[in-house]
């Protein structure tokens, strides 16, 4: 079977990934992938914003690293992308970055909730004990809805990320994520099946299978990503992610080139 592209891969420029982009590409070829995309954490206007992304003056180096990997692996389709942070008020910055290069796609991810808490940062995990999980999840899904509605992004990353350390959405949160899915369906903004969750304390794909099933009902398209921060994570557990998508009813996935979305069959031999 032709595997869907792995569209979520990082590079060492973000300061918490290892391995050269060419090692990621080589691993993709080994697994039989025909298409991948680099989507490293995009810079902020200020380099002091946090310490887990490339600096602004490294954006050119990033693009050059991806382009040189494209030249090195002509047998592999390699897309140029970014994983961008959606924070309310950052829209102008996102537009500025978007205009700088001919990106193939832009992932909209919510890592920051309730102001400036990067909810997936292991160094900030202790904050959970002071928090009401329902409030965290409500704010997270609210931001995710705004990200989908903004029209700024080609798809939405890891759509239930706050479960990373094992705090799952409460039943009261269901209305919030339904609202997100309704918007994503109306706007035809895909969500990704991100296998990194399987490597974390939550031990499941982002988003949960319940969420994937609901996404299918709302007509939300899908993409696939390993969120690889090391070459050996490329294509991680894609068999499981494909099975999850099919179980929910999906027969198609989305691909991107120059910010144009097309669909391909998940069932193609
Ligand atoms: Zn990362
Ligand atoms: Fe992320
Ligand atoms: Fe990522
Ligand atoms: Zn990510």
């Amino acid at each position: 079977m032709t595997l869907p592209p792995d569209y979520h891969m990082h590079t060492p420029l973000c300061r918490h990934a290892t391995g050269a982009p060419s090692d990621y590409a080589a691993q993709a070829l080994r697994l039989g992938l025909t298409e991948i995309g680099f989507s490293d954490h995009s810079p902020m206007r200020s380099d002091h914003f946090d310490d887990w992304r490339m600096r602004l003056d490294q954006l050119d180096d990033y693009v050059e690293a991806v382009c040189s990997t494209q030249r090195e692996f002509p047998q592999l389709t390699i897309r140029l992308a970014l994983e961008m942070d959606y924070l309310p008020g950052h829209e102008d910055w996102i537009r500025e970055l978007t205009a700088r290069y001919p990106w193939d796609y832009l992932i909209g991810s919510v890592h920051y909730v309730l102001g400036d808490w990067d909810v997936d940062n292991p160094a900030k995990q202790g904050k959970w004990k002071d928090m009401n999980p329902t409030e965290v999840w409500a704010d997270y899904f609210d931001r995710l809805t705004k990200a989908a509605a903004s029209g700024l992004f080609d798809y939405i990353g890891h759509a239930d990320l706050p479960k990373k350390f094992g705090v799952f959405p409460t039943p009261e949160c269901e209305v919030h994520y339904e609202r997100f899915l309704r918007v994503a369906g109306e706007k035809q903004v895909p969500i990704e099946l991100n296998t990194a969750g399987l490597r974390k304390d939550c031990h499941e794909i982002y988003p949960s299978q319940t969420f994937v099933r609901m996404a299918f009902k709302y007509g939300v398209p899908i993409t696939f990503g390993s969120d690889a921060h090391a070459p050996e994570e490329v294509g991680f557990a894609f068999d499981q992610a494909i099975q999850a998508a099919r179980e929910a009813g999906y027969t198609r996935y989305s691909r991107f080139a120059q910010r144009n979305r097309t669909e391909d069959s998940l069932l193609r031999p």
Side-chain angles (χ1 to χ4, degrees), residues 8 10 41 83 111 158 194 227 229:
H8 197 145
H10 291 272
H41 297 288
E83 179 177 16
H111 301 104
H158 42 56
N194 179 316
D227 215 336
H229 286 70

Side-chain angles (χ1 to χ4, degrees), residues 193 204-205 207-214 243-245 247-248:
L193 272 75
E204 58 176 45
I205 290 171
S208 69
Q209 190 61 8
T210 310
F211 205 3
V212 176
R213 285 195 203 107
M214 285 174 60
Q243 204 196 315
E247 191 273 338

Side-chain angles (χ1 to χ4, degrees), residues 103-122:
W103 310 107
D104 285 308
Y105 58 92
L106 299 167
I107 308 178
S109 288
V110 175
H111 301 104
Y112 282 93
V113 296
L114 298 171
D116 60 355
W117 176 25
D118 37 354
V119 72
D120 65 326
N121 186 342

Side-chain angles (χ1 to χ4, degrees), residues 20-225:
S22 56
D23 299 329
Y24 289 63
Q27 175 67 3
L29 279 182
R30 227 171 278 132
L31 294 174
L33 288 163
T34 56
E35 182 173 338
I36 59 173
F38 286 96
S39 51
D40 208 1
H41 297 288
S42 66
M44 290 291 188
R45 204 188 287 278
S46 163
D47 291 330
H48 302 294
F49 191 85
D50 58 29
D51 61 359
W52 49 266
R53 64 188 63 252
M54 69 182 84
R55 297 190 315 261
L56 183 51
D57 68 359
Q58 293 174 313
L59 188 64
D60 298 344
D61 300 340
Y62 170 65
V63 172
E64 181 43 39
V66 174
C67 292
S68 90
T69 311
Q70 287 167 336
R71 290 190 293 270
E72 197 184 336
F73 292 86
Q75 66 278 56
L76 189 60
T77 300
I78 302 179
R79 303 292 181 199
L80 174 65
L82 283 175
E83 179 177 16
M84 293 183 146
D85 282 76
Y86 178 75
L87 283 100
H90 281 227
E91 290 84 353
D92 284 347
W93 174 238
I94 293 163
R95 280 187 205 99
E96 260 183 71
L97 272 184
T98 300
R100 288 203 190 189
Y101 284 99
W103 310 107
D104 285 308
Y105 58 92
L106 299 167
I107 308 178
S109 288
V110 175
H111 301 104
Y112 282 93
V113 296
L114 298 171
D116 60 355
W117 176 25
D118 37 354
V119 72
D120 65 326
N121 186 342
K124 313 269 180 73
Q125 194 182 341
K127 246 179 114 88
W128 271 108
K129 66 176 182 344
D130 308 319
M131 295 293 176
N132 172 348
T134 302
E135 276 172 34
V136 176
W137 280 103
D139 189 58
Y140 174 78
F141 286 127
D142 182 56
R143 288 191 176 190
L144 214 57
T145 307
K146 291 192 171 97
S150 72
L152 294 167
F153 308 112
D154 297 298
Y155 72 86
I156 299 296
H158 42 56
D160 62 359
L161 179 68
K163 75 181 176 187
K164 178 175 178 178
F165 302 119
V167 184
F168 290 87
T170 54
E172 301 98 289
C173 295
E174 205 162 304
V175 293
H176 299 285
Y177 68 73
E178 278 205 71
R179 191 163 66 99
F180 161 65
L181 289 174
R182 205 174 308 123
V183 170
E186 279 163 15
K187 298 261 179 189
Q188 287 294 285
V189 177
I191 57 168
E192 71 175 349
L193 272 75
N194 179 316
T195 57
L198 293 166
R199 309 191 292 270
K200 311 297 181 190
D201 294 342
C202 58
H203 300 296
E204 58 176 45
I205 290 171
Y206 303 115
S208 69
Q209 190 61 8
T210 310
F211 205 3
V212 176
R213 285 195 203 107
M214 285 174 60
F216 179 73
K217 294 205 181 94
Y218 280 99
V220 180
I222 51 166
T223 63
F224 292 85

